[in-house]
């Protein structure tokens, strides 16, 4: 059948062979509007808060396979609300939310998100870890790595290390190191055809083959970095068996250490198909496919694996700075800014001050954008707090506050870079919206000077 979305002919032919009579329903799904959803950031919004009740937009219904996630209607614009800038939620494609939950990350673990930009799955993993442990979020492309780092900052996570490396370079450093690894692999993007015209234009059988070859290399690096008994989740947003059942079958053939784990699946996820890939073992049926004509989301494939035996590597810990090396101006600032100064290991990265996760490793010769919680920088021997500092602070730990409401014009003026009036103590203050930290200001006799980052300011 013809659809409003122009699909590549060779893609349609392959899908007819794969789905048979079911292909009509599959193609009809391209006539539907894309599904839109967001996931509430439970590291900022306490679980006890009924955010669905107080949300500034209409949240329609829960996403069944993801905690604290909700669909919203196409009329809503959650990305244009101050709560988005405060990091209270992350806008994410609904099917993509199924992946990170399969990793089952827990506080205190060592976790790697190997292909992490733009950060949807990274922030979902970080929320599960509750700022405890180490989460390395890696992205090979520099510009995408910057976006990843910005999203980690906006949502206020303090235990995330953002790197801009190749999987091969990381595998040299972290052999046998991680408890859990997510590989949301670069793919041909067939599952995004409904909403991404570029993915349709760039598609070809040759590109599918190139993606599959790249996935094999990435998976080999991931296996090398995984601890014995460690968990690996592989996902794509494509329908191509070569990149799904094929990638997992080839991995099992190359590595005698990996086995497929059958995850709990109480949703409308379909099984992987052994008959779509020659030599696929029966266990391929324990992998999962998400189809846009069967659920409220786009196309995805997920496989959960476990590593048996192997080599357990040793990684040097980063020695934390001694207390005497902590800038004195930061200590003075912390006393005025926080009700209770956050505890942790402080580390100077050039002129930048970070609070690093416990057990932090050496970062020499690694391209690194973020090594935990960025507190600020030393300028002319004075400490200047960062945007990340206020976004990573609990709302009940702020001492000097300039409170704004999302119902008033002042918060929108602040996001555009304007000053506003707020009575209180002079000096650095946390600007809040509806009680949640959103940025910094500096109060002088009731006038709050704007320190919202220029690159993030709203236009118009």
């Amino acid at each position: 059948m013809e659809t409003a979305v122009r699909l590549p002919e060779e893609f349609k032919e392959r899908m007819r062979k794969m789905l048979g009579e079911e292909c009509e329903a599959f193609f009809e799904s391209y006539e539907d509007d894309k599904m839109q959803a967001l996931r509430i950031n439970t590291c900022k919004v306490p679980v006890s808060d009924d955010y669905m009740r107080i949300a500034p937009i209409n949240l329609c219904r829960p996403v069944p396979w993801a905690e604290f996630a909700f669909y919203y209607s196409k009329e809503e614009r959650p990305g244009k609300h101050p709560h988005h800038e405060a990091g209270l939620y992350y806008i994410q494609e609904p099917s993509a939310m199924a992946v990170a939950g399969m990793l089952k990350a827990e506080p205190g673990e060592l976790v790697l998100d190997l292909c992490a930009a733009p950060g949807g799955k990274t922030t979902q993993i970080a929320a599960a870890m509750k700022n405890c442990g180490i989460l390395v979020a890696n992205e090979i492309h520099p510009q995408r790595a910057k976006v990843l780092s910005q999203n980690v900052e906006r949502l206020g996570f303090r235990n995330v290390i953002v790197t801009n490396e190749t999987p091969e370079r990381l595998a040299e450093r972290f052999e046998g190191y991680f408890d859990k690894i997510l590989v949301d692999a670069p793919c041909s993007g067939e599952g995004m055809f409904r909403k991404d015209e570029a993915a349709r234009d760039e598609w070809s059988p040759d590109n599918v083959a190139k993606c599959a070859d790249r996935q094999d290399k990435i998976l080999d690096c991931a296996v090398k970095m995984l601890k014995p008994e460690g968990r690996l989740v592989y996902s794509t947003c494509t329908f191509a068996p070569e990149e799904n059942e094929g990638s997992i079958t080839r991995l099992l053939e190359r590595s005698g250490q990996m086995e497929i784990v059958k995850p709990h699946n109480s949703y409308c996820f379909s099984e992987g198909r052994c008959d779509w890939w020659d030599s696929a073992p029966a266990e391929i049926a324990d992998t999962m496919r998400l189809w846009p004509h069967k659920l409220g989301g786009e196309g995805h494939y997920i496989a959960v694996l476990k590593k048996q035996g192997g080599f357990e590597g040793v990684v040097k810990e980063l020695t934390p700075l001694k207390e005497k090396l902590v800038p004195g101006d930061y200590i003075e600032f912390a006393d005025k800014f926080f009700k209770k100064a956050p505890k942790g290991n402080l580390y100077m990265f050039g002129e930048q001050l970070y609070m690093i996760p416990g057990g932090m490793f050496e970062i020499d010769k690694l391209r690194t954008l973020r090594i935990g919680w960025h507190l600020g920088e030393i300028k002319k021997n004075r400490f200047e707090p960062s945007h990340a500092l206020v976004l990573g602070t609990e709302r009940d730990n702020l001492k000097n506050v300039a409170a704004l409401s999302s119902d008033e014009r002042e918060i929108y003026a602040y996001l555009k870079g304007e000053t506003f009036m707020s009575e209180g103590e002079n000096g650095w203050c946390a600007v809040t919206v509806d009680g949640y930290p959103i940025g910094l200001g500096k109060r002088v006799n009731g006038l709050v000077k704007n320190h919202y980052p220029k690159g993030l300011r709203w236009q118009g």
Side-chain angles (χ1 to χ4, degrees), residues 14-162:
R14 192 198 68 207
M15 296 309 298
R16 290 188 185 101
K17 292 178 180 178
M18 288 172 61
L19 294 176
E21 293 181 359
E22 194 179 339
C23 74
E24 290 303 312
F26 172 76
F27 288 131
E28 286 175 3
S29 72
Y30 286 89
E31 302 295 324
D32 300 331
D33 292 331
K34 66 181 181 180
M35 305 298 292
Q36 301 177 107
L38 59 79
R39 181 172 39 78
I40 295 168
N41 179 9
T42 54
C43 280
K44 284 184 178 258
V45 181
V47 177
S48 58
D49 287 8
D50 183 4
Y51 189 75
M52 190 173 183
R53 180 179 57 81
I54 65 172
I57 63 170
N58 180 33
L59 300 176
C60 304
R61 64 186 189 280
V63 177
W65 48 82
E67 289 188 306
F68 314 110
F70 300 88
Y71 292 99
Y72 62 88
S73 69
K74 63 181 180 180
E75 291 79 20
E76 301 288 353
R77 296 290 182 268
K80 299 295 185 181
H81 194 277
H83 282 198
H84 179 266
E85 305 308 308
L88 303 192
Y89 49 77
Y90 189 98
I91 299 169
Q92 190 175 12
E93 195 282 311
S95 292
M97 296 180 182
V99 177
M102 297 290 177
L103 195 64
K104 298 188 181 299
E106 297 181 1
E109 291 184 324
L110 305 171
V111 181
L112 170 64
D113 186 353
L114 187 51
C115 313
K121 298 175 181 68
T122 294
T123 54
Q124 195 171 356
I125 294 167
M129 295 178 70
K130 300 178 181 178
N131 281 319
C132 183
I134 296 177
L135 170 56
V136 177
N138 181 70
E139 174 54 46
I140 191 172
H141 300 290
Q143 286 303 119
R144 286 171 56 81
K146 290 180 182 178
V147 173
L148 166 65
S149 186
Q150 290 169 355
N151 279 324
V152 168
E153 175 176 286
R154 179 172 60 85
L155 271 71
F157 294 114
R158 307 195 298 234
N159 66 324
V160 181
I161 317 302
V162 178

Side-chain angles (χ1 to χ4, degrees), residues 288-410:
M288 292 165 288
R289 281 181 173 268
L290 283 67
W291 294 98
H293 61 292
K294 293 186 176 182
L295 48 74
E298 307 298 335
H300 254 73
Y301 175 82
I302 308 172
V304 182
L305 302 105
K306 180 180 178 181
K307 185 176 184 179
Q308 299 289 345
F311 171 77
E312 185 170 2
V314 177
V315 177
K316 259 172 68 175
E317 290 187 358
L318 179 67
T319 303
L321 290 178
K322 302 295 183 182
E323 188 70 20
K324 65 180 181 181
L325 297 179
V326 176
D329 201 39
Y330 167 72
I331 303 299
E332 182 180 345
F333 165 85
D335 183 61
K336 293 180 179 179
F337 192 81
F338 303 111
K339 292 180 180 178
K340 187 176 181 180
K343 293 182 179 180
N345 298 323
L346 297 172
Y347 177 72
M348 288 297 297
F349 192 53
E351 295 182 341
Q352 308 300 316
L353 179 64
Y354 279 83
M355 184 169 287
I356 58 176
M360 175 69 182
F361 46 79
E362 293 284 358
I363 58 170
D364 60 301
K365 299 181 180 179
L366 284 179
R367 290 193 294 269
T368 309
L369 283 73
R370 181 174 299 273
I371 56 170
W373 188 16
H374 184 212
L375 300 179
E377 63 180 317
I378 306 303
K379 285 187 175 181
K380 299 179 181 179
N381 296 319
R382 293 179 61 86
F383 175 76
E384 184 166 311
S386 71
H387 187 56
L389 178 142
V390 69
L391 289 176
T393 302
E394 298 88 349
R395 61 179 180 174
D396 58 356
N397 194 31
L398 295 166
K399 184 181 290 185
N400 194 6
V401 172
L404 298 175
S405 168
S406 60
D407 294 330
E408 300 171 349
R409 67 163 299 277
E410 282 81 3

